[in-house]
Every structure is written in C-alpha cells, then in structure tokens.
Amino acid sequence: MYPLLDTINSPSQLRELEPKKLPQFAKELRNFLIESVAKTGGHLSSNLGTVELTIALHYVFNTPYDQLVWDVGHQTYAHKILTGRREGMSKLRMQGGIAGFPRRDESEYDAFGTAHSSTSISAALGMAVAARLNKTDRRAIAIIGDGAMSAGMAFEALNNAGVMDANLLVILNDNDMSISPPVGALNNYLAKLMSGRFYATARRAGEKVLGVVPSVLELAKRAEEHVKGMVTPGTLFEEFGFNYIGPIDGHDLDVLITTLKNIKLLDGPQFLHVVTRKGAGYKLAEEDPILYHGVGKFDPKKGIIAKSNGKPTYTQVFGDWLCDMAAQDSRLIGVTPAMREGSGLVRFSQEYPERYFDVGIAEQHAVTFAAGAACDGLKPVVAIYSTFLQRAYDQLIHDVAIQNLAVVFAIDRAGLVGADGPTHAGSFDLSYLRCIPNMTVMAPADENECRQMLYTAFKLDTPSAVRYPRGSGVGVSVQKKMQALPIGRGEMRRQGEKIALLAFGSMVAPCLEAAEELNATVINMRFVKPLDDELVAALANSHELLITVEENTIIGGAGSAVTESLNSQHINARVLQLGLPDIFIDQGDHAQMLADCGLDKNGIIKAARLVLGE
C-alpha cells in the first residue's frame, strides 16, 4: 500500500533513499497520517504542515545523535512514524499506547519532552552548551511555531542564545504567511545563498578587515541589513545575535535539504525561517485548519461531521455566561492566552470585539494584564486551562492576590483530561489555589451550578476562581437567570447514616451513585475556599466516617482543607481522603482513568467498606 513508507522504520533507512524519491515518500507519509489520525483522533492540521520539514531534518541531521526539540510537540506524528513508531500510531493517545507529544521515555529520538509552548529554544540551547562542554560535534535543533514565538520564554532564550558560543539552530515554522510563487522563488534562492559557507565566510572576513575602521564596518552592516530586509524579516533575529536565513518554502524538499545541509556546516547560533501551511495536502484541513487542529475519529473522504450528545459542555456554559454577563456589565473584559476556541470565547470575540483580548501564548502577561485592567475599574475574566495557569503562578500571587484585585479565573480542563495525558491534566489547581490568601475557589457539581458560580465570582471584589472539567456535565438544564451563591456554604444532596461523602465539583455525581448502596450522606461542598467549617463540624459530630472526594491531587487538596478545618476546630474525626494519587497519570479514557484512581462509584464504595471493615 505504501511501497516506500513500508520499508522505512528509522531515519538511517530514510537517509539511504535517493533524493528524487523523497517527494513520493512525503506523499505516502502524509496519506498515512490522514488515515491513521482519522481512526484514532488527535492533532491533524499541525502535523500535515510539517511532513516535508520532518523528512528534511531526519535526512540531513544524524538523529538521534543530533537532537531535535519540537516545541509544543503536537506536530510530531510524522517524526514518530519515521522513528520506529508507525505501528504504534494505531494506539495513539490511548492507554498503553504512544503519546500525542514527544516523551523521552518513549523513544531515544524524543530528545526533550514537550507539550506546553515555547520551551524548545531554552532546552535546545542547554543541549548545545552541553555539546560544547563535552567537546562533541552534536547539533541541537529547536523547531518552534510562529504562535509559540509570542511567549516571553522564547525571547528570553533567544536573548541568551545570541551571546552563547553554541551551535544552536532555531527553526521558525511559520504557517501564517503565504508566499506567492515569484517571491517564493526569489526567497528560496537567496536563502540558499545566505546559508552557504561562502557567504558566511565572506561576511566574517569582511568584518575582520573593516573592523579597523568602525564607521565603514557600521556602514557595511547597515547596507547588508537593508538589502536583506528588502526580502526577509530577519533584522530582529540578527539583533539577537543569530545568523538569519529565510524565509524558505517548508514544503519544497530540495530547498529544505540544501539549506539545512549548508547550515549544518556553520558554527554559532543560526535562525532558519520556514513557511508552511497547516493542513497541507488535505483540502478540508487546508480550508479550515482550526477545525482540523484537534480531531476525533472521522471519515477522511467526508471530513468531520459535527455531533452532539445534547448536553452543553462546561466550556459552552462558560462562553454563554460570558456573553450574558457582558450584556449586563460594560466593565467586563475577556482575556485569553491564545485559547479562543478551546476556552469558549468565539461568540464573545464576535459580539464584543472591543472587550476581547487574546494576548497570544503568554500566560504570565495575560494575568498581569488583567490585574492592570482591574486596577482601573474593569472586571477582567481570564479564561485559561488549569495546566496553563501553572505557568503564571507568580503573577497570580504577586500581581493579583497580594493586591486583592477583582480578577475572575475561569479555569477549564480541571482534573484529568483523557487522551492529552499528564502534560495537560489539571491535577493541581485546588492545591495551588487554596493556599493563596484572598482567593475564593469554587468547583461546580453540574452545568447550571457552573453558571451560577461564575456569576458569584464576578460579583466579588476580590480574586476568585471557578474550576470546571473538560467535556459535558451530568445533563442538568442551565437556568438563564443568574443568582449569587452564599459564599463558603455547601449543600446537602442526600441524607444518610454513618458515612458522609464530602464531594467537590465533578465528584458529586459518582458520590450520589455510591451513596445509594452505602446509605451515605452526600454534601456538595461547592467552595474549596472558604470552606464551610460549620458544616464540616456538624458532619463530624453526626457521622462515623467522613470521606472527601476530589478530582485533584490528594496532597494539599480539598480533602486536606477539611482535615485542617477539623484540626483548627479541635474536632477528632475519622477522615478518608480520596483523590488523584501522587503520580503523573498517563493518557487514556477519562472514565477508565477515574476508575483506576478509585474515583468512580465502585471505587468509592470499596474504599468506604474497607475503612469500616465491612
């Protein structure tokens, strides 16, 4: 079926192919990618855009000795296929299968584990410095997308790399720029020329000769920048100390391979600007790369057909609330670090464009930007994934909480996230939020409660957070009317005997199921901070066993808050804490992952009976 692809199981075998066969190999690889992802789901557009670049990198560089660091890593499926994991693609992002991102423990070709943005240049620079100190000729290559270049960390690394004596190659995969054929041909020609040894040697020789006359050297540099600036946007990167090359066509294998071979012979920090197209080679993905960015299973011939289970997702509940709240209060602004679609802000961005702020992949900036807006009377709502908020923890404490500013954090993807695995799991937010003074932290039990909690948070004049899981809830109808909840008060969902299940957020539903067999009391705690101390005390005095249940790490989480409350009230009670264990939980089906952690109906029942000796 794939005459070339079926014979290639490693980069060393790829390097044995004649150059004229590489376009056919790329076509087969792209077709395999489409068919494979259609069966498993995963990231599609970004991977289709880097097929030729991946082939060229492995063809030119001696991987895994030479190290490739893929930023984010959601464009590495072709890399995985080329490095002995073609068969593993059938279990991509499944339990026991290969990950959707690079992982060092998965393959020697995955030089650095990635999944969050803008880390590649820093990591590759560290590897390049290690190669220099170890006196090896090993090359380090960072492949970073144009979106990831918006993060401060990428520029911190560029700033540092420019003054390092290290052989680092940074490849900017730019998929937001189109190159018309004539300009593209000229750029490709000049890029080849600029990457050649003659050009680089001549420039260095000229600098030595002209160095005795500073004014002439300065004039020569300005002339070079002027000439190159006419056809390239590289002046910025050259100011960082890089030799800028490009832009070149990232789908032209001949240009890619020639340029990379020339760069391989150069010393010092090099910057290659490659222009690609997301979804390249699959018309539907080219036309709508956002829709085909992350996909479920689909028919490659028919494309994605929207399906709905009739229940709104928590993300949709948030998006609708945001628009409704904005209609009521002109002070509301929505802030997101490049997650408009994922965090549910599409409608808001269309209806309130002047109050919508996508700050790029810059979580730290997003939080402090919101803090600044709050200082002058606006009411910022920061829509952010739990795992991404971790990147702005200092700003959360220093810029928001210490100043007690009214910023609402709408925290999506709380708890386990299934196929995306440990890099994207929101396993720690209850722990890292509740220890911050001035914070109010809420966890909704269902969709309607999520809407009411968001309203409650917005009405506060202090920092607040509402954390909710990925996907749909239990199917409760969402009331249009908004009403603030009493701060720090839980609610009884079921009256029972002996056992009290203190459930937080998503764990209310399985606790209610388990309670039917245990005849247990079920409390929807609602607030992690402030905790309902009075209710906790009353339950301790009327039940033999308190069981806290949360989709968050047990360490320092909501259960710990309950035990702290009991200690502060000098109440001696029997408490069992259920939650996520002290490990990074691998990818898989979300329901099965919860079951494996004992956070489903059967797990809760088993744990309770074990403690009671039943």
Side-chain angles (χ1 to χ4, degrees), residues 27 115 135 155 189 250 321 334 359 386 409 418 430 456 507 517 531 549 589 597:
K27 182 178 180 180
K135 295 180 172 55
F155 281 89
Y189 171 76
W321 168 81
V359 302
S386 171
F409 293 91
L430 293 185
T456 304
M507 291 293 97
E517 285 195 35
L531 196 72
V549 192
D589 174 74
C597 294

Side-chain angles (χ1 to χ4, degrees), residues 172-226:
L172 172 60
N173 175 29
D174 182 349
N175 52 37
D176 198 33
M177 182 192 300
S178 59
I179 303 179
S180 58
V183 175
L186 177 61
N187 277 343
N188 289 340
Y189 171 76
L190 289 175
K192 283 185 180 181
L193 179 65
M194 290 177 185
S195 67
R197 297 184 77 181
F198 173 78
Y199 171 81
T201 304
R203 186 173 71 172
R204 285 197 298 273
E207 288 175 353
K208 290 178 181 178
V209 173
L210 296 175
V212 295
V213 187
S215 58
V216 179
L217 173 59
E218 182 63 26
L219 178 64
K221 284 187 173 180
R222 287 182 180 178
E224 180 194 69
E225 287 180 359
H226 176 69

Side-chain angles (χ1 to χ4, degrees), residues 44-81:
L44 185 61
S45 296
S46 52
N47 281 290
L48 292 177
T50 56
V51 168
E52 287 82 9
L53 177 59
T54 303
I55 292 171
L57 285 168
H58 282 292
Y59 195 76
V60 172
F61 289 97
N62 183 27
T63 56
Y65 179 74
D66 291 329
Q67 297 169 298
L68 304 181
V69 181
W70 298 88
D71 209 281
V72 183
H74 60 359
Q75 74 278 45
T76 55
Y77 293 0
H79 163 79
K80 287 176 180 279
I81 294 165

